[in-house]
Amino acid sequence: MQANQENIQAMDELAQRLFPICRSLTGDGVRETLRVLQKRIPVEIHEVPTGTRAFDWTVPKEWNIRSAFVETTDGKRILDFADNNLHVVGYSTPVDETVSYETLRQHLHTLEDQPDAIPYVTSYYREDWGFCLEHRKFEKLDKDADYRVVIDSTLSEGSLTYADLVIPGESTEEVLFTTYICHPSMGNNELSGPIVNTFLADWVQSLSERKYTYRFVFAPETIGALVYLSRHLDHLKANVVAGFNASCVGDGKDYSYIASPDENTYADRIIRHVLAMGGTGFTPYSFLERGSDERQYCAPNVGLPLVTFCRSRFGTFPEYHTSLDNLDVISGLEMNNSLKVLQRCCRAIEDNVVLKNVLIGEPQLGKRGLYPATSKVGEYEKVRVLNDIIAYAEGKRDLLAISDIIGAPTWTTSRLADELVQSGVLAVVKQGPHSARHGSATKS
Amino acid sequence: MQANQENIQAMDELAQRLFPICRSLTGDGVRETLRVLQKRIPVEIHEVPTGTRAFDWTVPKEWNIRSAFVETTDGKRILDFADNNLHVVGYSTPVDETVSYETLRQHLHTLEDQPDAIPYVTSYYREDWGFCLEHRKFEKLDKDADYRVVIDSTLSEGSLTYADLVIPGESTEEVLFTTYICHPSMGNNELSGPIVNTFLADWVQSLSERKYTYRFVFAPETIGALVYLSRHLDHLKANVVAGFNASCVGDGKDYSYIASPDENTYADRIIRHVLAMGGTGFTPYSFLERGSDERQYCAPNVGLPLVTFCRSRFGTFPEYHTSLDNLDVISGLEMNNSLKVLQRCCRAIEDNVVLKNVLIGEPQLGKRGLYPATSKVGEYEKVRVLNDIIAYAEGKRDLLAISDIIGAPTWTTSRLADELVQSGVLAVVKQGPHSARHGSATKS
Amino acid sequence: MQANQENIQAMDELAQRLFPICRSLTGDGVRETLRVLQKRIPVEIHEVPTGTRAFDWTVPKEWNIRSAFVETTDGKRILDFADNNLHVVGYSTPVDETVSYETLRQHLHTLEDQPDAIPYVTSYYREDWGFCLEHRKFEKLDKDADYRVVIDSTLSEGSLTYADLVIPGESTEEVLFTTYICHPSMGNNELSGPIVNTFLADWVQSLSERKYTYRFVFAPETIGALVYLSRHLDHLKANVVAGFNASCVGDGKDYSYIASPDENTYADRIIRHVLAMGGTGFTPYSFLERGSDERQYCAPNVGLPLVTFCRSRFGTFPEYHTSLDNLDVISGLEMNNSLKVLQRCCRAIEDNVVLKNVLIGEPQLGKRGLYPATSKVGEYEKVRVLNDIIAYAEGKRDLLAISDIIGAPTWTTSRLADELVQSGVLAVVKQGPHSARHGSATKS
């Protein structure tokens, strides 16, 4: 409880610290963001030069921006980057001109349906400049006036920045957690992912033992994921048993996840179980609804066993990709709830084993001290779960599959399975899932 | 559109030309029908002598009829074969007698529920004579009178007549189209099948290239199919990748098909996709609802991968097997719509390939000219389909399976897949379905 | 009909004969019960000494009881074992004391919700004494009085008693029928099971031929089943093709069964078919709802292909485990209906074969005398079933699977399949199910 309260407050503070920074695919905003995270977890920060190939893609020029504004010719400021970094189209080329309304309008982006929202717009792969503003403000512009437009940005050779952290465990088999750090001042998409994964890494480090190695990646979306994959693909394909990409995990809406194309990798099985047993309801999306970095981690010829974990999936909440996705949308409380889901995923993986009955016929629980002497509330349920674990532990199913069948969460069954192993009723056949560990090979 | 109008009119004309001919299992009506079709497509006409064995069956005697009538003794004609060839029970033996009402009644067939319809009745395997008439007319017969009954028919050694046409393609693998030509003056069942398949053959011939060989069979139902199979079974089993039997394809009702026993042969997969994507709704029937020549082509120890394509399935429309199934029930317009379904099946087969991604990670569509420069309506949908094809093209699924998953018709995906292959994003692993080509081996 | 009436009356009489006997895990009540059954079927009765190991369990002391009562100090009898043997907690140790109300109350069991019912309570594995009575009677006890409690029982070295009967057939492959004989005066749970299985054994013996060997086991629940398994496990695993445990089969409620863990063993397939085709509706329960001896016969490392057959499943009817489960709950009529279900299971197993078409294409039924000359009601249905059997008899499916597909009961299809075999249309590929005979290997 205490830890919860501390986490919640610390997450809120981290969100406030990171929110104002102007992040993009590249540039100092990304670097600053990663250095802030580095104060909490020992991520390693990497720089990849402009022009570096990553499969079909190339690392773009680095973009930085100091200031930007639009003014009337008599100096009245229409909008200012200093107020909200969404006012400038990401990757805008530098400009300092006085232009007519007609010309200006070609470079303005608004949302007619959400007249008080500044849209989030980028132009990564076509060199251009532009501004984003509230439609209500746009409608009040004097159509006969000229305007001074200034963007003090640089777009030049530089590097793309990402960070990772590998926390070793007993096995070289890895659990992968990814998220992206390229979105400017927006909360749910995407400060929530980096914050939750930072706290998750902190927690993983604090565990007294780890059966698996844990890898955390904080990179710009798409090109960052591709760069990371291009550097680590063989290793990841050989070692990752399950991966979880976090995106939009800070609002208070129902949980959801985007399945892998296979829909039945170890990661799919784990998150489906954890969300189903969590008791809060959840929405499973098919890979057809993809849109975040699962696009790269699950891409053909990559095919990692990874799912994307969300609350409101990107694109489904009204504040998405606008200035309305601010700190009011997210909270430390809800980021902490999302953290707990990923912690349960970790525990489910750590605790998963294939179990086998040692005895023939039902065991006599009483003589082994497993049958309650007195009938307290909850004890009958415990005996039911004990007996159901025994009934389905035939040496081929893993605890996860048994738990799915008997309708009990792994965070209960793993403790009871331990008791049964200690009592000589069950034996552990192997650590991990019941079949080969990767991708489609883990179909149940 | 022009071609459509021409087809529609030509189909209507062909229906009018064929309707009056008295067809049966054998005889000159079949020959005349096939010669009419021969004017449009170069079918080869075959004669199989009476007594020839076809598995468990034997080619029956040949039946021909010149005239038939029932008269009162004072010469008032009650019914006349010249008015409607359904008036005579098919395969009626010759007769020229004066009989009592009681005797006559033993030889009359009517439909009490449809008093204005002449039923369609045959007696292929029991030698007898009979007449069919409207129940309303039957009720008015004078029960005390005698009647003269005349059937000027012959039932004697002769032959069974069928036609086929093989249109070669690059491969010896075949697509089979069957229908039957043994029904007298009825429209939906069964002038529609022969007419649609004739125009389909015409279209197949007109294609500038064909990956597959196409085989068309026009034969009497049951015994004709068995004769054909007995002559070609090994060849068909070795070469047919998918077969489609056409029956009752001329009315304007929803589409339907009768699955193979396996329910998942290549033919099942193709027609299910084409009908599902057609947007008009359709009824899938199990093989338990069989009734046409799928009974033979899918019989045990035959087992061709064939489905029957229908609009209103035989037996489900009120005019079925009566004189009410006349030219009003069918139309060139609707036969042309059915034709388009089978053309789509052909195209789906021609265009089906197993696809594999060449690149690692998502490709950059923009630099390959596949991403729309301007956002027109429909362009976003195109990009979605392009990306979905890429996401699911992992070297094992065929385009048909990918299209089913992503919910896009093969007539769209095949064009886009071509673009992706041309752009070096995808490679073709093999022509055809993802697994072995026959029967149950093609389960997806 | 006559046989039915005789069975119904004889079942009623057997129920009346067995009802008063005080059965328990061990003791003379069990012996007497088995000797009564022995008058009808030649079961062999076995004695297993106290202390004998059965896997994780040990045969307990033998318990016998002559009399028991509770009296006021002035000799007014509160309850008497002679009235209802449920009044004494099973396995009560001997006692003869005068105790206060407070002390007595610690040893009394009642049901507040069913104040007129005596509950059924046992204390097999903790030595103690106790009485059970109606809650209404309990409430009237004088709280200030003392009471004399007498239980004239013995709990000492002795033996556990069970019976079995093996009725040989052509094959050493076995069909197993089990039930339990350890419940005192209660009807549905559990006189119905022993009575139905006794009459089933009688019927099996009367069959003129048996393809399979039939084994019947009448043993105390849990420890009796474990003792039986410990003596016969290898034999049973090697020979049992399907097993049926009978419990609560005497009331007039809908049929139900408890699936094996695998849910698709031969026993599951058989009973599912028989109940589905019976036309009366039924409830399938998962193994998660287990509670009778399927717990042992389907236990890990035992894994026999066995289901439990019930009407109202144990625990689901209000009279369960109380004195209200008396002879009014069950009837000879309903036990006879349950008997018929198990007879159909036997017949389905005896008659099940894998079938294959001999001919190519559809056979000509007419020339083989299989097509009705005249169209009587029911004849068309017969032809449909004949044709459907032929359509699906491709050499891999067994008659049970074919019957499931075509929606006809095996008690119809087996007769028609015989006709088709006699006519040379079908051939029998093998006796029995389509795949290996045991447990999960029989998945369809």
Side-chain angles (χ1 to χ4, degrees):
Chain A
M1 204 58 175
Q2 183 60 23
N4 267 342
Q5 276 309 327
E6 277 172 27
N7 265 0
I8 289 167
Q9 191 179 335
M11 284 172 146
D12 271 331
E13 286 166 7
L14 186 53
Q16 281 152 23
R17 169 72 185 87
L18 294 173
F19 189 78
I21 301 172
C22 183
R23 283 166 291 276
S24 186
L25 277 200
T26 59
D28 291 331
V30 175
R31 286 186 194 97
E32 183 183 352
T33 298
L34 294 174
R35 278 196 300 265
V36 171
L37 302 185
Q38 216 174 23
K39 289 180 189 163
R40 186 165 279 274
I41 53 169
V43 289
E44 187 172 351
I45 297 177
H46 307 267
E47 299 286 346
V48 185
T50 298
T52 304
R53 291 294 303 270
F55 306 129
D56 199 37
W57 300 65
T58 305
V59 173
K61 290 179 183 165
E62 180 177 328
W63 184 66
N64 283 292
I65 179 165
R66 277 159 297 274
S67 67
F69 59 85
V70 176
E71 280 182 353
T72 58
T73 45
D74 55 354
K76 195 183 144 205
R77 202 152 280 203
I78 305 297
L79 58 83
D80 195 330
F81 173 77
D83 296 333
N84 190 318
N85 57 41
L86 294 181
H87 274 314
V88 176
V89 168
Y91 263 64
S92 276
T93 48
V95 66
D96 186 349
E97 289 180 34
T98 298
V99 300
S100 69
Y101 171 83
E102 279 311 311
T103 300
L104 176 63
R105 209 178 61 171
Q106 310 298 319
H107 293 268
L108 296 185
H109 303 267
T110 71
L111 294 167
E112 211 170 330
D113 291 347
Q114 294 176 288
D116 294 316
I118 309 167
Y120 166 49
V121 180
T122 63
S123 185
Y124 295 143
Y125 295 99
R126 195 170 56 95
E127 296 205 357
D128 198 0
W129 60 266
F131 292 94
C132 303
L133 73 164
E134 300 88 343
H135 193 73
R136 207 177 297 284
K137 191 183 284 184
F138 164 73
E139 286 182 312
K140 291 181 185 155
L141 290 183
D142 180 350
K143 295 182 180 172
D144 300 318
D146 285 345
Y147 295 88
R148 182 165 175 229
V149 294
V150 172
I151 298 179
D152 180 12
S153 67
T154 55
L155 186 59
S156 51
E157 301 294 307
S159 61
L160 174 149
T161 314
Y162 72 84
D164 66 356
L165 170 62
V166 176
I167 307 171
E170 291 168 29
S171 164
T172 58
E173 291 191 328
E174 292 188 3
V175 183
L176 173 66
F177 289 96
T178 66
T179 189
Y180 44 99
I181 38 77
C182 58
H183 281 54
S185 297
M186 289 178 292
N188 204 30
N189 178 228
E190 194 60 82
L191 280 181
S192 63
I195 292 172
V196 167
N197 276 13
T198 296
F199 279 74
L200 181 66
D202 205 14
W203 174 80
V204 167
Q205 280 196 307
S206 75
L207 296 175
S208 57
E209 58 176 38
R210 286 177 294 274
K211 295 218 176 74
Y212 294 89
T213 293
Y214 290 79
R215 177 180 298 261
F216 291 82
V217 180
F218 301 83
E221 203 175 8
T222 307
I223 181 68
L226 288 161
V227 162
Y228 199 82
L229 284 167
S230 72
R231 292 182 158 200
H232 299 280
L233 186 60
D234 290 346
H235 177 87
L236 295 174
K237 287 173 91 159
N239 290 285
V240 172
V241 297
F244 303 88
N245 179 50
S247 174
C248 303
V249 290
D251 70 357
K253 304 297 168 50
D254 273 359
Y255 298 97
S256 67
Y257 79 98
I258 298 158
S260 73
D262 173 87
E263 298 199 348
N264 225 356
T265 70
Y266 198 27
D268 292 271
R269 292 179 61 216
I270 291 283
I271 199 156
R272 208 157 50 212
H273 176 84
V274 167
L275 293 180
M277 294 293 162
T280 56
F282 70 100
T283 304
Y285 289 104
S286 119
F287 193 66
L288 291 170
E289 307 289 333
R290 69 197 177 285
S292 174
D293 273 343
E294 73 280 355
R295 290 165 55 179
Q296 309 312 327
Y297 292 107
C298 299
N301 298 321
V302 177
L304 295 180
L306 175 139
V307 295
T308 287
F309 169 52
C310 306
R311 305 296 286 269
S312 293
R313 184 175 62 82
F314 34 82
T316 69
F317 55 102
E319 302 89 353
Y320 175 71
H321 270 200
T322 76
S323 57
L324 303 181
D325 182 4
N326 56 33
L327 292 181
D328 292 341
V329 172
I330 64 174
S331 70
L333 179 69
E334 294 298 347
M335 288 190 280
N336 195 48
N337 284 336
S338 294
L339 172 65
K340 286 178 187 172
V341 167
L342 294 178
Q343 287 170 336
R344 281 180 166 172
C345 290
C346 292
R347 285 256 54 100
I349 293 172
E350 287 281 318
D351 293 342
N352 198 26
V353 287
V354 177
L355 292 165
K356 179 172 174 40
N357 274 272
V358 175
L359 307 172
I360 302 173
E362 285 195 334
Q364 200 184 352
L365 294 181
K367 74 174 186 187
R368 296 168 188 278
L370 293 169
Y371 206 88
T374 58
S375 59
K376 282 185 292 184
V377 172
E379 289 291 347
Y380 174 77
E381 175 64 10
K382 174 185 166 178
V383 171
R384 182 190 75 79
V385 176
L386 278 174
N387 273 318
D388 281 351
I389 294 172
I390 292 165
Y392 288 91
E394 29 58 288
K396 285 170 194 158
R397 291 192 187 93
D398 56 21
L399 185 64
L400 180 65
I402 294 171
S403 302
D404 277 337
I405 291 172
I406 73 179
T410 44
W411 47 98
T412 296
T413 56
S414 61
R415 192 170 36 80
L416 297 181
D418 260 0
E419 289 188 40
L420 290 168
V421 170
Q422 298 307 322
S423 306
V425 173
L426 299 185
V428 172
V429 176
K430 68 183 279 281
Q431 168 68 27
H434 48 66
S435 58
R437 66 171 192 255
H438 292 122
S440 56
T442 57
K443 285 189 182 173
S444 69
Chain B
M1 202 60 173
Q2 183 60 24
N4 267 343
Q5 276 308 326
E6 277 172 26
N7 266 0
I8 289 167
Q9 191 178 334
M11 284 172 145
D12 272 330
E13 286 166 6
L14 185 53
Q16 282 153 24
R17 170 70 185 87
L18 294 173
F19 189 77
I21 302 171
C22 183
R23 282 165 292 274
S24 185
L25 277 199
T26 59
D28 291 332
V30 175
R31 286 185 194 99
E32 184 184 351
T33 298
L34 294 175
R35 278 194 301 265
V36 171
L37 301 185
Q38 215 173 23
K39 287 180 189 164
R40 186 165 281 272
I41 52 169
V43 290
E44 188 174 350
I45 298 176
H46 307 266
E47 300 286 345
V48 184
T50 297
T52 304
R53 290 293 305 269
F55 306 129
D56 199 38
W57 300 64
T58 305
V59 172
K61 290 179 184 166
E62 181 177 328
W63 184 66
N64 283 292
I65 179 166
R66 276 159 299 275
S67 68
F69 57 85
V70 175
E71 281 183 353
T72 58
T73 46
D74 55 355
K76 196 185 143 202
R77 201 150 284 199
I78 304 298
L79 59 82
D80 195 329
F81 172 77
D83 295 335
N84 191 321
N85 57 43
L86 294 180
H87 273 316
V88 175
V89 168
Y91 263 65
S92 277
T93 48
V95 65
D96 186 348
E97 290 179 34
T98 298
V99 298
S100 69
Y101 172 83
E102 279 311 314
T103 300
L104 176 64
R105 211 180 57 172
Q106 309 299 318
H107 293 269
L108 296 186
H109 303 266
T110 71
L111 293 167
E112 211 170 329
D113 290 348
Q114 295 177 288
D116 295 317
I118 308 166
Y120 166 49
V121 180
T122 63
S123 185
Y124 295 143
Y125 296 100
R126 194 168 59 93
E127 295 204 357
D128 198 0
W129 60 266
F131 292 95
C132 303
L133 73 166
E134 300 87 343
H135 194 73
R136 207 177 296 284
K137 192 184 284 182
F138 164 73
E139 287 183 309
K140 290 181 184 151
L141 290 184
D142 180 351
K143 296 182 177 170
D144 300 319
D146 286 345
Y147 295 88
R148 181 164 176 230
V149 293
V150 172
I151 298 178
D152 180 12
S153 67
T154 55
L155 186 59
S156 51
E157 302 293 307
S159 62
L160 174 149
T161 314
Y162 71 84
D164 66 355
L165 170 62
V166 176
I167 306 171
E170 291 167 30
S171 165
T172 59
E173 293 191 327
E174 291 188 3
V175 184
L176 173 66
F177 289 95
T178 66
T179 190
Y180 43 99
I181 39 76
C182 58
H183 280 55
S185 297
M186 288 178 295
N188 204 29
N189 179 229
E190 194 59 83
L191 279 182
S192 63
I195 292 171
V196 167
N197 276 13
T198 295
F199 279 74
L200 181 65
D202 205 15
W203 175 79
V204 168
Q205 279 195 308
S206 76
L207 295 176
S208 57
E209 58 176 38
R210 286 178 294 274
K211 296 218 175 76
Y212 293 88
T213 292
Y214 290 79
R215 177 179 297 260
F216 291 81
V217 180
F218 301 83
E221 204 175 6
T222 307
I223 181 67
L226 288 160
V227 162
Y228 198 82
L229 284 168
S230 71
R231 292 181 158 201
H232 299 281
L233 185 59
D234 290 346
H235 178 86
L236 295 174
K237 286 173 93 158
N239 290 283
V240 172
V241 296
F244 303 87
N245 179 50
S247 175
C248 302
V249 290
D251 70 358
K253 304 298 167 51
D254 272 359
Y255 297 97
S256 67
Y257 80 98
I258 297 158
S260 74
D262 172 88
E263 298 200 348
N264 226 356
T265 69
Y266 197 27
D268 292 90
R269 292 179 60 217
I270 291 284
I271 199 156
R272 207 157 50 212
H273 175 84
V274 166
L275 292 181
M277 294 293 161
T280 57
F282 70 100
T283 305
Y285 291 105
S286 119
F287 194 66
L288 292 169
E289 307 288 333
R290 70 198 177 283
S292 174
D293 273 343
E294 72 280 355
R295 291 165 54 178
Q296 310 311 327
Y297 291 107
C298 298
N301 297 322
V302 178
L304 295 180
L306 175 140
V307 295
T308 288
F309 169 52
C310 306
R311 305 296 286 268
S312 293
R313 185 176 61 83
F314 34 82
T316 69
F317 56 102
E319 303 89 352
Y320 176 71
H321 270 199
T322 76
S323 57
L324 302 180
D325 182 5
N326 55 32
L327 291 181
D328 292 342
V329 171
I330 65 174
S331 70
L333 179 70
E334 294 298 348
M335 289 191 281
N336 195 48
N337 284 335
S338 294
L339 172 64
K340 285 178 188 171
V341 167
L342 294 178
Q343 286 170 337
R344 281 181 166 172
C345 290
C346 292
R347 285 257 54 101
I349 294 173
E350 288 280 319
D351 294 342
N352 197 26
V353 287
V354 177
L355 291 165
K356 179 173 174 38
N357 274 273
V358 175
L359 307 172
I360 302 173
E362 286 195 333
Q364 199 183 354
L365 294 182
K367 74 176 187 186
R368 296 167 188 279
L370 294 169
Y371 205 89
T374 58
S375 59
K376 282 186 294 184
V377 172
E379 288 291 346
Y380 173 77
E381 175 64 9
K382 175 185 166 178
V383 170
R384 181 190 76 79
V385 176
L386 278 173
N387 274 318
D388 282 352
I389 294 172
I390 293 165
Y392 288 92
E394 29 58 288
K396 286 170 194 157
R397 292 193 185 93
D398 55 20
L399 185 63
L400 180 64
I402 295 171
S403 302
D404 278 338
I405 291 172
I406 73 178
T410 45
W411 48 96
T412 296
T413 56
S414 62
R415 190 170 38 79
L416 297 182
D418 259 1
E419 288 188 42
L420 291 169
V421 170
Q422 298 308 321
S423 306
V425 173
L426 299 185
V428 172
V429 175
K430 67 183 281 279
Q431 169 68 27
H434 48 67
S435 58
R437 66 169 192 257
H438 293 122
S440 56
T442 58
K443 283 188 184 173
S444 69
Chain C
M1 202 58 173
Q2 183 60 24
N4 266 342
Q5 276 308 326
E6 279 172 26
N7 267 0
I8 288 169
Q9 193 179 332
M11 284 172 146
D12 272 329
E13 286 167 7
L14 186 54
Q16 282 152 23
R17 170 71 185 87
L18 294 173
F19 189 78
I21 301 171
C22 183
R23 283 166 291 277
S24 186
L25 276 200
T26 58
D28 290 332
V30 175
R31 286 186 193 96
E32 184 183 352
T33 299
L34 294 175
R35 278 195 302 266
V36 172
L37 302 185
Q38 215 175 24
K39 289 181 188 162
R40 187 165 279 273
I41 53 169
V43 289
E44 187 172 351
I45 297 177
H46 306 267
E47 298 286 346
V48 184
T50 297
T52 304
R53 290 292 305 271
F55 306 129
D56 199 36
W57 300 64
T58 305
V59 172
K61 290 179 182 164
E62 181 177 328
W63 185 65
N64 283 292
I65 179 165
R66 277 161 297 277
S67 67
F69 58 86
V70 176
E71 281 183 352
T72 58
T73 46
D74 55 354
K76 195 183 143 205
R77 202 150 281 202
I78 305 297
L79 59 82
D80 195 331
F81 173 77
D83 296 334
N84 191 320
N85 56 41
L86 294 181
H87 274 314
V88 176
V89 168
Y91 263 64
S92 277
T93 47
V95 65
D96 185 349
E97 292 179 32
T98 297
V99 300
S100 68
Y101 171 83
E102 279 310 312
T103 300
L104 176 63
R105 210 178 58 169
Q106 309 298 317
H107 294 268
L108 297 185
H109 303 267
T110 71
L111 293 167
E112 209 169 332
D113 291 346
Q114 295 177 288
D116 295 316
I118 308 167
Y120 166 50
V121 180
T122 62
S123 185
Y124 295 143
Y125 295 100
R126 194 168 59 94
E127 295 204 356
D128 198 0
W129 60 265
F131 292 94
C132 303
L133 74 165
E134 299 87 343
H135 193 73
R136 206 177 298 284
K137 192 183 282 182
F138 164 72
E139 287 183 312
K140 291 183 185 150
L141 290 183
D142 180 351
K143 296 182 178 173
D144 299 320
D146 284 346
Y147 296 89
R148 179 162 178 235
V149 293
V150 172
I151 298 178
D152 180 11
S153 66
T154 55
L155 185 60
S156 51
E157 302 292 307
S159 60
L160 173 150
T161 314
Y162 72 84
D164 66 354
L165 170 62
V166 176
I167 307 171
E170 292 167 29
S171 165
T172 58
E173 291 192 328
E174 292 188 1
V175 183
L176 173 67
F177 289 96
T178 66
T179 190
Y180 43 100
I181 39 77
C182 57
H183 281 54
S185 298
M186 289 178 292
N188 203 30
N189 179 228
E190 191 62 78
L191 281 181
S192 63
I195 293 171
V196 167
N197 276 13
T198 295
F199 279 74
L200 182 66
D202 205 15
W203 174 80
V204 168
Q205 279 196 308
S206 75
L207 297 176
S208 58
E209 58 176 38
R210 286 178 294 275
K211 296 216 176 74
Y212 294 88
T213 293
Y214 289 80
R215 177 179 297 260
F216 291 82
V217 180
F218 300 83
E221 204 175 7
T222 306
I223 181 67
L226 287 161
V227 162
Y228 199 83
L229 284 168
S230 71
R231 292 180 157 203
H232 299 281
L233 186 60
D234 289 347
H235 178 86
L236 295 174
K237 286 174 93 158
N239 290 283
V240 172
V241 297
F244 303 87
N245 179 50
S247 175
C248 303
V249 291
D251 70 358
K253 304 297 168 51
D254 272 359
Y255 298 97
S256 67
Y257 79 97
I258 297 158
S260 74
D262 173 87
E263 299 201 346
N264 225 356
T265 70
Y266 198 26
D268 292 271
R269 292 179 61 216
I270 291 283
I271 198 155
R272 206 157 51 210
H273 176 84
V274 166
L275 292 180
M277 294 293 161
T280 57
F282 70 100
T283 304
Y285 290 105
S286 119
F287 193 67
L288 292 170
E289 307 288 334
R290 70 197 177 284
S292 175
D293 273 342
E294 73 280 355
R295 290 165 53 178
Q296 309 312 326
Y297 291 107
C298 299
N301 297 322
V302 177
L304 295 180
L306 176 140
V307 295
T308 287
F309 169 53
C310 305
R311 305 295 286 267
S312 292
R313 185 175 62 82
F314 34 82
T316 68
F317 56 101
E319 302 89 352
Y320 175 71
H321 271 199
T322 76
S323 58
L324 303 181
D325 182 5
N326 56 32
L327 293 181
D328 292 342
V329 172
I330 65 173
S331 70
L333 179 69
E334 294 298 347
M335 288 191 280
N336 195 48
N337 284 336
S338 294
L339 172 64
K340 286 178 187 172
V341 167
L342 294 178
Q343 287 170 335
R344 281 180 166 172
C345 290
C346 292
R347 285 256 55 100
I349 293 172
E350 287 281 318
D351 294 341
N352 197 26
V353 287
V354 177
L355 292 165
K356 179 172 174 39
N357 274 272
V358 175
L359 308 172
I360 302 173
E362 286 195 334
Q364 200 185 353
L365 295 181
K367 73 175 186 186
R368 297 167 188 278
L370 294 169
Y371 204 88
T374 59
S375 60
K376 283 187 293 186
V377 172
E379 289 290 348
Y380 173 76
E381 175 64 8
K382 175 184 166 179
V383 171
R384 181 191 75 80
V385 176
L386 279 173
N387 274 317
D388 281 351
I389 294 172
I390 293 164
Y392 288 92
E394 28 57 289
K396 286 171 195 155
R397 291 193 187 93
D398 56 20
L399 186 63
L400 180 64
I402 294 171
S403 302
D404 277 337
I405 291 172
I406 73 178
T410 44
W411 49 96
T412 297
T413 56
S414 60
R415 191 169 38 78
L416 297 181
D418 260 1
E419 289 188 41
L420 291 168
V421 171
Q422 297 308 321
S423 306
V425 173
L426 299 185
V428 172
V429 176
K430 68 182 281 279
Q431 169 68 26
H434 48 67
S435 58
R437 66 169 191 257
H438 292 123
S440 56
T442 58
K443 284 189 181 173
S444 69

